[in-house]
Amino acid sequence: MALTRRTFITSALALGAFTIVPRRVLGGPGFTPPSDELTKGVIGIGGMGHWHLGNTGERLVAVCDVDEEHLQEGMRIGGVKGYHDFRELLERKDIDVVHIATPPHWHALISIAAAKAGKDIWCEKPMTRTIAEGEKVVEAVGAYSRMFRVNTWFRFSGDLFYDSGGTARQYRKLMRSGLLGWPVTVTIGAATGFNWKFYHSGRTDLTPRWIPPQLDYDFWLGPAPYKPYHPHRVHYTFRGYWDYDGGGLGDMGQHYLDPVQYILGKDDESPVAVEADAPAQHPEAVSSFRRILITYADGCRVILEGEREKDDIPFIEGPEGKLYKDLRSTIVNLKEKIAQLPEPESVVTDFMESVRTRKKFALNETNAHRSATLVNLCKISWQLGRPVHFDPATQRCKNDEAANRLIDPPMRAPWHLS
Amino acid sequence: MINFLPLSMTLIAALIISGCASTTTSTAPAPPISIDQLLGTMPARDTVEALWLYSSMTRMGPDAVMAICKKLGPPATETSTQAEFALQGLASFVTAEGRETERMMFVGALAKALEVARPPDQSTFILGRLQVAGRGESIAPIARFLDDERLSGPAAQALVAIRDGAEAPLLAALAASHGNVRVMIIKSLGDLRSPGAFDPLRTEVASQDPRIRLAALYALANIGDSRTGDILAKAAAEGPANERGEVTACYLLLARREAETGDAAGALSIGRMLYDRPTATEGVQVRAAALEVIVRSKSESAIDDLIAAMADSNGQIRSAALRLASRIPGTTATRRWVAATERGATRREIVSMLGTRGDGSAYPAVISLMGDADAGVREAAVDAAVRLKGEESVPLLLSLLERSSEASDITAVRMALESLPRERVIPPVVASLSRVTPAACVMLVDHLGRFADTLSGPLIGLTKSAVPSVRLAALRALGAAGKEADAPRLIALLLGTESEAERAATEKSLVSLCGRIPDPENRSDGLLAAYRAATPVQRARLFRVMGRLGGSKALSLVSAETRSKDPDLHDAAVRALADWPTLDAFDSLLVVARSDGNLNLRVLALRGAVRLVANSPIPPAAAVRYHARTLAAAVRPDEKRLALGALANIRTSEALREVIPYISDDSLGLDAAMAAGTIASGRADEKDGPGSAQVARAFIESMVPGRFRSRVEHNFDAAEGMGEPPEGFKALFSGRNLDGWKGLAGNPVLRANMTPEQLAVAQARADSVMKAHWSASDGILVFDGRGENICTDTDYTDFELMVDWKIEKNGDSGIYLRGSPQVQIWDPSQWPEGSGGLYNNEKNPSKPLVRADVAVGQWNRFRIRMIGERVTVWLNNVMVVDSVVLENYWDRSIPIFSSGQIELQSHSSPLCFRNIFIREIPVRSPLFTGNLFNGLDLTGWKLIDGKDGNWGVEQGLLYTTGDGGGWLSTAREYDNFSLDLDFRLSEGGNSGVFLRSPRQGDPAYTGMEIQVLDDYADEYASLQPWQNCGSIYGVQAPSLRASKKAHEWQHYHIVAVGPHVSVTLNDQLIVDADLTSHMDKESTHPGLKRRSGFIGLQSHTRRVEYRNITLKELAWKEENDTH
C-alpha cells in the first residue's frame, strides 16, 4: 500500500545553480543572468497554438504550421519567421524552447526531434498518442538531457479538477496519511466536475473532399495512415478520430488523470487493469463511453464516470471515509487535519525556471508519460471492447497481442520513432 | 435501424447460461437470424450485446465474414458503416484469449476477401483488420500487396505489427522496389530490427535519393549490427553536411542498441567519441547523450567520467552527470562522490544529489557537512540527511539549530521537519527548545503551533522567556496547541502583560483555545473566574475576549456592567456587547441604545443590534420584528436611519409595512420613502402581478408624498435603468447605433505584436464581422449568436462599469475587462454557482460569492469596479466578487494588463445588453518611497496657519522654535504608509506628527495626531494616558512608556494601513489600533475615518528637532476606498 513507500521529503533546495546558455551566446562565459531572455518557436498554431503564441515567458521568434492560412496569421506577429517544416525550425540555433501544439499524433515525433536538436520542450496534452511513443520520448528527453513539460497543471496549480475545493497538494497529503484508509477509489465525471463525453465524436459518414490548397494534408497526416481528406478530420475536429487522438478522453483525460496519479503516489507506476463500458467503437471515429474502470496492483481504482451526472458522488472513497466536492467528508475536521500533515516534496512550477536551472519541471516527461499511459490504456480497452491487463514494468499488456499492437503501432513511412 | 432488442436479450441470456466463449464447434443450434439482421443492430450498445453479435457472426463461419466484406461499399452509406463496425468488432473479438479457432476462421475469410479485386480504400480497410488480428498465417496474403503503390504502405504496416515472419517478404520486396515504396520497406525493416537486412541495406546509404539514404541509416542503426559504426563514420565524413545531425542521432541509436545486446565496448567507443569530440555543429545535448551512453555501457570507469564532468564548464553537462549518478548504485560509487564533496564549486549540488540518490552510506558524510562553513552546503546537507534517514536525522538537524541563528539553516530545518510525521518530530523538538538559539526557537514554536491539542507545557514555560520574540511566538502557538487547562495561565498573562503585541496575541489564542470547549456555555468560565479579583483595566481586557466567545453567563455579566459607574468598565462592556457573536445580546443592546447616557455608546449599541440581526440566520419576518424594535428604541433620526436602512434590505411586505409610517415623518420621510421604493422594486414575496418595476412605480405614485416623489423616482430610475447614466458616468452605448464599438481583432498579445498596418487590416476585417452580428435596437445592443466579441474602441485603466444583460436558456457570455476574460455570464439553471465570477482565474477565486442572478430571460445588472488588478462585481446590487485579483489569461506569468478595451463576449447564444455606463477612476501615482526631508531646506513642505521663521533647517536638522503655532504639511497627500523619523525634544518639548490631515481645521481632529511630548516633564504629570508621547492623541493611549528623556534622540516607526494604525517608539510597539473600534468618537474626531491626507509636523510649545524623515507608501487596498 502507498503508505509503505518511501516517504516523500520536502525540498525547496535548488538541485544546482546550473544555467542554460541561450543559443545565441553559446560559447560565451557559460553563465547567463536569470533575467536573460529565452526564445521560443511554436509548432502547430491553429487551435491551442494560439495560446502558446502568447506570453509564456519566452520571446517568440518562429512559428510553424502545415496550413498556410495559419502560418500567414502567425507571421503577422512582428519579428517572427514562419516555417512549413518543423525540422527547419529545429535547425535554428537561436531557439531555446519549442512549443508543440500540433494534434497528438505528431507530439512524440516532434518532441524527439526537438530533443535531438537540443531544444527544451513545452508540449500540449495528451503527451503522446500511444504508450510506445511515450517511452521513446522519455528515452530521448533523458538521453539528450532536455527539459520537458506537458501543458496541463492541476497537479501543481489551482483547485484540483476546477472545483473540488482543494489543491492537489492537499489531496496528496491526505492520501499519504491514510486517513481515508487504503485502497481508495477516485471518481471523475460530470458530477465531480467534468463531463468526459464532452465534444469530439468522429463522423462515420465522411465522403472524400478536395484538399484545400493552403493545407499540406500529407504532412498533416505524417505518421498516421493515409485516409481520404475531409475537413472534419483536421483542424478543431480531429480529436474525434482514433488516428490522431481519442475523443474527449484524449483531449481532457491527461488534464484530469495526471493529478490523480500524483495524489495517489503512483507517479512511477501504472494500473494493472482497465475496463471500458462503452458502445462498440468504429475503427476510425470515436464515440462515447459510459464508464471506464482503472485498477492498480494495490487495489486503488479510478472510475471515469460518464453517467450519474446529477448524483453527489464521493470524489474519493476509502474504507475509512469518503470525500465529496468542496472537501466535504465523513471525517470530521478534515481541513484542519490536512493542515497538520507532513508536506509533500516541493516542485518547480515555472518552466522557465526549469530551463534555466535544469531542475525538472513538476510535470515532466516521466510522470507525464505515466499519466498519458492511463489515457492511452483506457483508449485501448475502449477500442477493443474488452478489459486489458497491463504489466507496469514492461509497459505491455499480458496475453493480448491485439492490445500490444495498439501500444506500439507502426508509423507510416518515412516517419519512425527513435 | 431495426430494433432487435427483445430478441437479442433472450439470446444473450441463453448465451450467458451456455457459456460465453462458445466456439464454431458448439452444438447449440444456430440462432434463427440472418447476417443482415445482425448487421442491422450495429454498433453494439455495450459489451454484452457485442459478445452476442460477434459470437453469432463467427458461428456463421467464413461465408458470413466474406458477406460482410462485400458490404464494404461506397463510403458514408449505412450498410458500409455497419460492415466497418462489424469487421472491427470481430477483429477485436477474435483476438481475445481462447478464441484462436474463431481468429483463424476470421483472418482466413479476410485473406479470401482480399483476393477479390476491390477499390483500394476497401482493401486498405481489410488490411487494417489483419493488422489487428493477423499472425503468421496472414503474412503471405498481406505480402502480395507490397509491390502495389497504393497498398504497399498499409501492407507493410500490417507486416511490421505482426513481426514474426515479416522479414522475408519485406527483403524479397526490397529488390524490385523504388521510390516511396522502397523508403517504406527500408523503414519497415528497420522497425523490425531485421538482422538479415544489414547486408542488403549497407549500400543504400550511398543512394542518390536522400529519403532512401536517411531511411537506410535509421534502419541500420536500429538493427544494431556493430559493423554499422564504420558505415556511419563514412556517412559522417562524406555525406551531405545537412544530414550530419541525423548521422549523429544514428550513432547514439546504434550505441544504445549495442549496449542492449551486450556489446558494451562498441557502445563505449561511440560514447567516448561523441563526448570528447564536440563539433561546432553539435550542441551540448549530444555530449549529454554521449555521457549517458558511457554510463549505459556499464563501464567500470563511468563514475570517473561523471565526477570529471562535474568540472565541465557547461552547466547542462554537470546537471546531466548528477542525474546519471543514480544509474551507478552502490557504496563504492557513494565513496567516490563523498570524496568529491571535499572541494570544488559544485559541492552543494553533489550533496543534494547524494540525498536524492538514496544510498544511506552517504549519511555520516552528509551529517558532517551540516557543519560546513558554506551555508549552501549546510542547507543541502540538511535536505540530504532527512531524505536519507528521515526522522532518525531529526536530533542532528536540531543540534544544528543550537549553533546557528542563520535564516537559511532555520528554513532548511523547518522544511525538513514539515516533511516528517508530527508524532515523531514533536518530542525531539520539544526537548530541544531550551537549547536552540532564540531565532530557531521562534521557528520551532511556530511549527508546534500547527498542531492542535499537543503538549502545551513547554509552550507555557516559554511564555516566561526573557526573549520577547520567543514569548510572543509561544503565546501565538498556544492558540492551536494549548489545552483547556492552559486557560488560567493565559488569562493571567493577558491580565499581566504590558506589551500591546502580547496582549493581542494572548487574546487571540484565548479565543481559539476556549472556543474549542464543546459546550458554548462553559467557554467563558475561566474568564468569569478571573473577573472578581481583576482591576477595572483588566476587566476591560476580559470583556474583549468574552465578547468574542459568547455564552449566557458571560452575557449577563457583561450586560450588568453596561450599567457600571466606572466609565472605562462601562465603555468596555458596551463595546464587548456590540461585538457579541449571538443574537441573545440583542435585548441588552437595546437597553443600552435606549437609555445610555453616552451618545457614542448608544449609537454603537444600535449598530451592534442591527448587525446581529442582519447576520443571524433567521427568517425575514423575524428579522423585520427585531428591526422594528430597534427602530422604536432609536432616539435620534440618525439612529433611526440605521434601522430603516436595515429594513430596506429585507424585501418583504412586512418590511414595507414597518417603513411606510415614517414616510410622513418630517426628518425621516425621505429615507423611509427611499427604503420603501427599494423594497417595492424587489419584493421577494411578490409571486404574481405585473413585475416588480410596475409594482414599485404604482407604489411610488400612490404612497410617496409629492415632496419626496422626484427624489425617490430618480433613485428608482437609476436602479431600474431608464437609459440615463448615473452621476459621474457616461454612456458607452448610445442605444441607436454602434458608435464607439469595434470588432475583435485577435487577442491583446497578438495585437501588440502586429505592425500598425497589419492591425489596420485585421481591424477592418473584424469590424465587418462585428457589424454582421451585433446591432442596436430600441436602446438594446443585440447579438445574434454567431461571430465574435464586440469591443469598446477606447482602452480603459481603472473604471467602474454598469451594464444590464439578458440571456436565453443555456446562454453564455461574459464581460472582458481590459481585453481579458472575464466576468462570467451564464444560465444559472445550467451552472448553479451563478454569474459574475472571474471564470478564468486559476489562483484567485473564480466563482461568485453567491448566486444573484434573476431568472433567465429577465434583465440582470452588473456593476463592475476594476482598480489595479482587483475587480469587484455587484450583480443585481449584491456583491458577488469582492476585490479579487483578475489573472492574466493571455499570459499567466504576468499580472493583468494595465489598460485595455472592454468587450462583451460572444458565446454562440443570442444576447442582449443595455445601459452600458462607465466612470473612469483616476489612476493613483506610483507608490513613493524616500525621504520627505532633504536635510538642506524646507523643499517639499508647506507651512499651514503658522508664522514665518517658526520652522528652519540647520546642520541637517528640521526644527521648530515652537512659538508660532500652525504646522508643516507635506506637499501631497498619502493614504497608506510607514513613516520613520527621529525626534529630539527640549525639556517640556511638545509637538506632534499629523497623519491623513486636511489643511483645514485642527489636524489633531480633522486628521489625527501621534503625540510628540516630553512626558517626563513635571508640567505634564497630570495628563491623561491618551495624551502621552506615542498616543494617538485623544484616541488610544500607549500600552507602555517607551519614551526617552529630553535631549535624547528618539525614533518613531508609524504604520497606517486602512483602519490599522500602529506606533513603535524606540523599537517598542506601543499602539496597535483598529480605528473602526473608535468610531464612537467619530462625531468629535472626524479624522478617524479619513483614508487619506497630508502628513504634518506640529509646532506647539518649545523647540523640537526632527531628522531622517522617510516614508514608504504601502499597497493601497481597494476595499478601503470610498469612491
Side-chain angles (χ1 to χ4, degrees):
Chain A
M1 115 178 195
L3 305 185
T4 60
R5 293 185 47 231
R6 182 180 167 280
T7 316
F8 278 69
I9 311 278
T10 303
S11 169
L13 295 176
L15 174 66
F18 297 128
T19 316
I20 185 173
V21 185
R23 301 274 131 194
R24 60 195 172 284
V25 297
L26 207 68
F31 179 79
T32 307
S35 59
D36 203 333
E37 192 180 32
L38 296 163
T39 54
K40 72 174 168 190
V42 181
I43 301 173
I45 55 171
M48 270 311 285
H50 278 120
W51 184 90
H52 290 271
L53 295 179
N55 197 335
T56 47
E58 319 103 303
R59 184 163 58 89
L60 179 69
V61 297
V63 294
C64 174
D65 207 294
V66 296
D67 187 314
E68 197 61 25
E69 227 167 61
H70 296 173
L71 197 57
Q72 289 305 325
E73 189 189 340
M75 282 163 66
R76 278 198 246 133
I77 304 168
V80 171
K81 186 156 186 245
Y83 296 86
H84 182 83
D85 186 329
F86 69 92
R87 291 168 294 196
E88 286 171 29
L89 182 149
L90 292 178
E91 275 171 20
R92 267 179 71 162
K93 301 290 181 200
D94 64 342
I95 293 176
D96 298 308
V97 183
V98 164
H99 290 241
I100 303 171
T102 62
H105 67 288
W106 271 110
H107 288 180
L109 281 174
I110 299 176
S111 292
I112 292 167
K116 285 179 180 171
K119 311 300 183 199
D120 292 324
I121 300 151
W122 186 327
C123 183
E124 261 307 326
K125 62 177 173 57
M127 173 172 152
T128 59
R129 195 189 69 95
T130 69
I131 293 169
E133 286 175 359
E135 290 175 306
K136 299 290 186 182
V137 172
V138 171
E139 190 179 276
V141 168
Y144 289 97
S145 205
R146 306 326 306 156
M147 291 293 126
F148 183 94
R149 81 159 282 184
V150 166
N151 198 40
T152 171
W153 51 83
F154 284 142
R155 75 157 57 212
F156 56 85
S157 167
D159 184 319
L160 192 67
F161 313 136
Y162 289 131
D163 57 355
S164 75
T167 61
R169 200 176 173 83
Q170 284 176 301
Y171 282 98
R172 173 80 194 106
K173 288 168 72 174
L174 175 61
M175 289 300 103
R176 200 176 53 177
S177 73
L179 274 173
L180 297 178
W182 206 264
V184 296
T185 298
V186 180
T187 303
I188 305 169
T192 61
F194 180 67
N195 190 345
W196 290 85
K197 296 189 290 187
F198 213 10
Y199 289 150
H200 306 314
S201 286
R203 283 167 51 183
T204 56
D205 61 348
L206 305 184
T207 49
R209 303 278 176 83
W210 291 108
I211 300 169
Q214 74 275 14
L215 176 67
D216 184 347
Y217 178 58
D218 192 65
F219 205 160
W220 188 92
L221 286 172
Y226 190 88
K227 300 278 165 68
Y229 174 79
H230 186 282
H232 202 257
R233 286 187 173 279
V234 296
H235 311 333
Y236 316 112
T237 42
F238 64 82
R239 294 193 194 279
Y241 300 88
W242 295 111
D243 282 344
Y244 325 118
D245 199 1
L249 178 64
D251 181 20
M252 297 300 275
Q254 189 164 21
H255 220 34
Y256 288 83
L257 286 167
D258 177 73
V260 173
Q261 294 243 117
Y262 167 69
I263 67 174
L264 296 182
K266 298 196 178 300
D267 270 340
D268 44 14
E269 61 177 303
S270 289
V272 294
V274 174
E275 181 173 1
D277 172 13
Q281 294 297 300
H282 189 266
E284 293 195 11
V286 187
S287 72
S288 72
F289 65 84
R290 276 179 291 276
R291 195 170 287 103
I292 303 181
L293 174 64
I294 298 164
T295 309
Y296 292 88
D298 63 357
C300 281
R301 300 189 307 168
V302 181
I303 298 171
L304 310 185
E305 179 58 68
E307 295 181 340
R308 299 182 63 195
E309 296 180 8
K310 306 279 180 227
D311 300 0
D312 190 15
I313 305 175
F315 213 116
I316 304 179
E317 180 170 3
E320 312 290 328
K322 299 178 185 180
L323 188 65
Y324 295 84
K325 265 168 85 168
D326 304 323
L327 284 181
R328 285 177 294 128
S329 175
T330 52
I331 293 174
V332 290
N333 291 336
L334 188 72
K335 280 185 200 173
E336 290 75 9
K337 284 179 177 148
I338 292 175
Q340 296 183 16
L341 291 168
E343 293 295 325
E345 186 146 18
S346 66
V347 287
V348 181
T349 58
D350 171 1
F351 189 54
M352 293 309 110
E353 187 189 333
S354 284
V355 170
R356 291 197 164 98
T357 63
R358 312 314 286 172
K359 282 160 60 187
K360 276 188 176 261
F361 185 73
L363 178 55
N364 51 60
E365 73 283 3
T366 55
N367 51 18
H369 166 56
R370 289 290 180 174
S371 53
T373 294
L374 283 187
V375 174
N376 288 324
L377 262 186
C378 290
K379 277 159 54 187
I380 290 173
S381 172
W382 187 11
Q383 276 179 284
L384 289 178
R386 63 167 170 261
V388 290
H389 299 278
F390 191 68
D391 179 346
T394 63
Q395 303 198 48
R396 291 297 178 275
C397 289
K398 294 177 188 161
N399 303 323
D400 197 332
E401 175 65 24
N404 285 331
R405 288 182 191 174
L406 290 172
I407 282 179
D408 187 9
M411 286 182 165
R412 190 164 68 108
W415 303 105
H416 55 81
L417 296 167
S418 303
Chain B
M1 197 179 285
I2 312 158
N3 185 0
F4 277 92
L5 182 62
L7 176 61
S8 72
M9 293 314 279
T10 325
L11 281 163
I12 290 162
L15 266 168
I16 291 168
I17 293 162
S18 68
C20 297
S22 69
T23 66
T24 46
T25 57
S26 160
T27 54
I33 194 163
S34 74
I35 191 75
D36 285 346
Q37 285 173 311
L38 291 173
L39 280 176
T41 63
M42 288 288 165
R45 279 163 302 190
D46 53 38
T47 37
V48 177
E49 191 179 56
L51 198 64
W52 167 66
L53 282 166
Y54 305 140
S55 58
S56 304
M57 287 177 182
T58 47
R59 255 174 304 172
M60 291 177 182
D63 291 346
V65 176
M66 288 177 67
I68 299 172
C69 290
K70 241 186 206 152
K71 292 189 186 290
L72 289 172
T77 56
E78 188 177 354
T79 330
S80 182
T81 302
Q82 286 166 344
E84 286 157 21
F85 269 112
L87 291 171
Q88 169 70 2
L90 283 167
S92 303
F93 173 77
V94 300
T95 52
E97 235 184 324
R99 295 210 182 95
E100 182 60 13
T101 320
E102 289 96 327
R103 193 189 67 78
M104 287 298 286
M105 181 280 292
F106 177 68
V107 298
L110 291 187
K112 270 189 117 167
L114 276 176
E115 288 169 11
V116 181
R118 56 177 75 243
D121 288 343
Q122 292 175 26
S123 301
T124 301
F125 186 87
I126 296 173
L127 285 168
R129 294 333 97 197
L130 284 175
Q131 184 176 328
V132 178
R135 304 231 173 134
E137 74 290 325
S138 301
I139 297 275
I142 297 170
R144 283 204 305 116
F145 296 95
L146 281 177
D147 58 1
D148 182 305
E149 181 77 31
R150 269 296 290 276
L151 299 175
S152 60
Q157 283 187 40
L159 290 178
V160 172
I162 294 171
R163 293 198 87 87
D164 291 344
E167 180 182 6
L170 283 167
L171 281 172
L174 177 65
S177 66
H178 47 82
N180 284 336
V181 177
R182 194 170 185 81
V183 172
M184 192 255 321
I185 289 177
I186 295 172
K187 176 253 173 196
S188 299
L189 285 164
D191 285 350
L192 284 174
R193 297 215 221 158
S194 157
F198 178 79
D199 280 323
L201 292 186
R202 60 188 312 168
T203 53
E204 299 293 326
V205 297
S207 166
Q208 294 304 303
D209 184 339
R211 294 172 308 156
I212 291 178
R213 277 201 306 273
L214 292 172
L217 282 173
Y218 153 71
L220 288 169
N222 205 34
I223 289 165
D225 191 305
S226 58
R227 290 170 289 172
T228 303
D230 294 338
I231 298 171
L232 291 174
K234 195 156 180 280
E238 297 168 13
N242 63 356
E243 289 173 17
R244 299 246 163 92
E246 207 49 47
V247 173
T248 304
C250 285
Y251 258 128
L252 289 163
L253 176 58
L254 174 66
R256 276 207 296 279
R257 294 290 173 253
E258 287 177 338
E260 279 164 20
T261 54
D263 182 4
L268 185 62
S269 75
I270 294 176
R272 290 222 182 284
M273 184 258 293
L274 291 175
Y275 186 66
D276 298 337
R277 183 216 73 176
T279 67
T281 52
E282 280 160 1
V284 65
Q285 80 278 6
V286 170
R287 291 185 66 220
L291 194 59
E292 197 240 6
V293 163
I294 293 172
V295 172
R296 205 183 261 262
S297 72
K298 296 201 170 40
S299 156
E300 291 282 313
S301 60
I303 182 82
D304 295 327
D305 294 275
L306 294 184
I307 287 173
M310 291 310 293
D312 200 286
S313 62
N314 193 302
Q316 291 201 39
I317 293 295
R318 299 197 301 269
S319 83
L322 284 174
R323 265 203 298 278
L324 289 167
S326 64
R327 300 257 201 102
I328 307 178
T331 54
T332 316
T334 306
R335 256 200 311 281
R336 299 289 311 281
W337 282 116
V338 166
T341 62
E342 280 165 19
R343 62 188 164 279
T346 55
R347 300 166 63 226
R348 174 200 171 120
E349 288 71 38
I350 296 174
V351 175
S352 266
M353 179 273 289
L354 284 169
T356 47
R357 189 163 163 275
D359 176 13
S361 73
Y363 186 62
V366 164
I367 291 303
S368 70
L369 285 163
M370 274 166 46
D372 198 88
D374 182 330
V377 170
R378 288 202 303 277
E379 215 176 320
V382 166
D383 176 62
V386 80
R387 281 170 185 272
L388 290 173
K389 295 284 169 167
E391 60 208 50
E392 191 187 318
S393 66
V394 169
L396 289 162
L397 302 182
L398 293 168
S399 71
L400 171 62
L401 298 185
E402 292 173 26
R403 308 188 292 275
S404 174
S405 335
E406 275 192 50
S408 62
D409 290 334
I410 292 173
T411 307
V413 174
R414 178 175 60 76
M415 290 198 297
L417 292 176
E418 283 179 356
S419 73
L420 294 167
R422 49 182 285 212
E423 57 278 8
R424 307 295 171 75
V425 170
I426 289 171
V429 167
V430 168
S432 74
L433 288 175
S434 58
R435 297 195 301 270
V436 298
T437 58
C441 187
V442 169
M443 180 278 286
L444 292 175
V445 167
D446 281 344
H447 181 67
L448 290 175
R450 295 166 65 213
F451 307 123
D453 67 42
T454 52
L455 47 155
S456 52
L459 293 179
I460 290 285
L462 287 176
T463 61
K464 299 176 194 120
S465 165
V467 185
S469 59
V470 172
R471 278 203 309 272
L472 197 58
L475 289 169
R476 260 196 321 259
L478 278 164
K483 289 199 280 283
E484 191 183 339
D486 300 324
R489 170 74 192 147
L490 272 184
I491 291 168
L493 287 168
L494 173 69
L495 301 184
T497 185
E498 293 195 345
S499 148
E500 185 73 8
E502 286 182 20
R503 179 195 59 72
T506 315
E507 273 182 19
K508 211 169 160 194
S509 285
L510 263 176
V511 169
S512 82
L513 183 149
C514 296
R516 287 200 295 276
I517 297 172
D519 184 352
E521 268 312 302
N522 300 334
R523 287 179 187 158
S524 291
D525 283 358
L527 301 160
L528 292 165
Y531 183 77
R532 296 293 153 217
T535 66
V537 172
Q538 293 173 330
R539 288 180 172 187
R541 290 183 179 183
L542 291 170
F543 282 163
R544 221 174 345 221
V545 182
M546 288 180 198
R548 309 258 301 275
L549 287 169
S552 65
K553 281 177 284 186
L555 179 61
S556 54
L557 173 74
V558 175
S559 299
E561 293 295 2
T562 59
R563 295 184 292 274
S564 169
K565 296 276 183 289
D566 182 314
D568 288 338
L569 210 52
H570 169 91
D571 186 275
V574 173
R575 284 172 193 284
L577 211 54
D579 279 343
W580 211 260
T582 50
L583 192 54
D584 52 359
F586 182 84
D587 289 342
S588 303
L589 282 169
L590 275 204
V591 171
V592 176
R594 248 194 310 264
S595 56
D596 202 289
N598 182 327
L599 172 63
N600 288 334
L601 294 181
R602 275 209 327 258
V603 174
L604 203 64
L606 209 61
R607 283 195 183 132
V610 168
R611 177 191 58 80
L612 266 182
V613 174
N615 291 352
S616 295
I618 53 174
V624 169
R625 285 195 295 278
Y626 276 110
H627 286 317
R629 289 177 58 203
T630 310
L631 193 55
V635 181
R636 298 181 312 142
D638 273 352
E639 297 167 35
K640 286 190 183 292
R641 264 183 208 118
L642 274 173
L644 284 173
L647 282 165
N649 282 331
I650 306 175
R651 312 278 167 90
T652 65
S653 310
E654 288 101 333
L656 195 56
R657 210 170 296 131
E658 290 300 330
V659 170
I660 285 171
Y662 288 89
I663 291 179
S664 51
D665 185 293
D666 277 342
S667 52
L668 288 169
L670 182 58
D671 301 274
M674 294 280 212
T678 307
I679 296 170
S681 67
R683 277 172 58 192
D685 58 352
E686 190 69 31
K687 294 240 165 46
D688 39 27
S692 55
Q694 284 89 329
V695 171
R697 290 210 165 272
F699 167 80
I700 292 165
E701 290 291 319
S702 62
M703 292 296 297
V704 176
R707 60 199 156 119
F708 299 142
R709 194 173 296 154
S710 72
R711 290 277 301 278
V712 173
E713 276 180 350
H714 178 82
N715 192 41
F716 177 73
D717 287 349
E720 187 57 19
M722 303 310 285
E724 286 306 311
E727 195 182 330
F729 284 75
K730 66 173 197 270
L732 282 177
F733 169 56
S734 67
R736 296 179 301 278
N737 54 41
L738 298 179
D739 290 355
W741 296 87
K742 64 181 179 185
L744 178 62
N747 71 49
V749 176
L750 279 174
R751 283 200 302 274
N753 281 311
M754 290 182 197
T755 63
E757 297 76 31
Q758 290 169 334
L759 183 59
V761 172
Q763 189 60 58
R765 194 178 306 144
D767 287 347
S768 69
V769 172
M770 182 274 279
K771 283 183 182 122
H773 301 292
W774 294 84
S775 57
S777 162
D778 293 337
I780 296 171
L781 182 55
V782 181
F783 175 62
D784 69 1
R786 297 184 302 279
E788 290 281 356
N789 297 0
I790 193 170
C791 322
T792 59
D793 64 12
T794 311
D795 284 354
Y796 294 93
T797 306
D798 290 350
F799 57 84
E800 186 163 337
L801 174 76
M802 319 255 307
V803 54
D804 294 354
W805 50 271
K806 188 165 79 170
I807 55 174
E808 298 177 357
K809 187 159 171 46
N810 296 333
D812 191 331
S813 177
I815 313 288
Y816 281 40
L817 308 178
R818 298 188 196 148
S820 297
Q822 85 181 345
V823 178
Q824 182 66 26
I825 292 175
W826 53 15
D827 177 355
S829 67
Q830 193 78 1
W831 294 280
E833 66 256 43
S835 302
L838 304 184
Y839 177 76
N840 299 87
N841 270 3
E842 286 175 359
K843 299 192 182 76
N844 296 288
S846 62
K847 288 197 215 170
L849 296 167
V850 291
R851 183 168 105 185
D853 301 60
V854 297
V856 159
Q858 294 187 26
W859 285 101
N860 287 275
R861 163 158 300 176
F862 269 150
R863 181 154 72 92
I864 300 168
R865 189 163 73 199
M866 179 165 205
I867 296 175
E869 35 179 340
R870 289 183 177 271
V871 173
T872 305
V873 180
W874 291 264
L875 173 54
N876 302 321
N877 294 323
V878 177
M879 186 193 275
V880 293
V881 170
D882 183 7
S883 187
V884 172
V885 170
L886 178 66
E887 294 164 26
N888 191 324
Y889 175 79
W890 309 111
D891 180 357
R892 298 274 177 197
S893 66
I894 58 169
I896 189 76
F897 305 117
S898 56
S899 77
Q901 60 207 27
I902 288 163
E903 299 173 23
L904 309 178
Q905 190 198 21
S906 70
H907 209 306
S908 57
S909 55
L911 309 164
C912 298
F913 298 92
R914 68 175 189 196
N915 296 331
I916 312 173
F917 306 128
I918 196 159
R919 175 175 73 86
E920 288 189 75
I921 298 170
V923 178
R924 300 282 168 134
S925 48
L927 296 180
F928 169 84
T929 298
N931 290 319
L932 293 178
F933 167 53
N934 63 13
L936 300 171
D937 55 35
L938 290 173
T939 304
W941 296 90
K942 183 173 164 57
L943 183 64
I944 310 293
D945 300 336
K947 192 171 79 181
D948 273 352
N950 184 19
W951 288 90
V953 178
E954 60 184 28
Q955 295 174 335
L957 305 179
L958 174 64
Y959 67 92
T960 170
T961 56
D963 55 5
W967 58 292
L968 206 55
S969 161
T970 52
R972 55 162 277 214
E973 300 185 66
Y974 298 94
D975 346 344
N976 301 305
F977 51 83
S978 71
L979 174 68
D980 282 90
L981 57 83
D982 297 334
F983 66 91
R984 184 161 67 178
L985 296 156
S986 55
E987 265 168 62
N990 185 355
S991 175
V993 179
F994 297 129
L995 310 179
R996 294 179 181 159
S997 297
R999 283 175 172 171
Q1000 297 84 34
D1002 180 350
Y1005 295 96
T1006 55
M1008 66 186 131
E1009 175 185 350
I1010 308 301
Q1011 175 69 297
V1012 173
L1013 183 76
D1014 175 20
D1015 52 12
Y1016 290 87
D1018 291 343
E1019 61 195 284
Y1020 301 131
S1022 60
L1023 288 187
Q1024 294 293 326
W1026 40 263
Q1027 294 175 300
N1028 281 335
C1029 192
S1031 64
I1032 303 178
Y1033 188 80
V1035 177
Q1036 184 157 329
S1039 60
L1040 51 93
R1041 171 182 266 191
S1043 54
K1044 297 180 184 171
K1045 301 217 165 134
H1047 309 301
E1048 285 187 64
W1049 279 105
Q1050 310 196 47
H1051 181 79
Y1052 258 146
H1053 173 67
I1054 298 166
V1055 180
V1057 175
H1060 300 283
V1061 176
S1062 71
V1063 180
T1064 305
L1065 175 56
N1066 302 324
D1067 295 328
Q1068 303 219 56
L1069 176 69
I1070 53 173
V1071 167
D1072 188 4
D1074 179 352
L1075 297 179
T1076 54
S1077 68
H1078 292 289
M1079 281 303 136
D1080 54 302
K1081 304 183 182 76
E1082 177 201 317
S1083 51
T1084 53
H1085 195 150
L1088 293 180
K1089 65 175 184 185
R1090 281 180 67 87
R1091 294 284 182 254
S1092 184
F1094 298 94
I1095 291 172
L1097 299 173
Q1098 185 189 30
S1099 173
H1100 204 266
T1101 55
R1102 274 166 268 183
R1103 182 178 169 102
V1104 180
E1105 296 160 337
Y1106 291 94
R1107 67 179 185 192
N1108 299 333
I1109 309 173
T1110 60
L1111 181 106
K1112 181 175 193 307
E1113 268 194 287
L1114 299 174
W1116 172 54
K1117 289 180 77 183
E1118 190 262 340
E1119 57 264 38
N1120 294 331
D1121 184 60
T1122 51
H1123 281 298

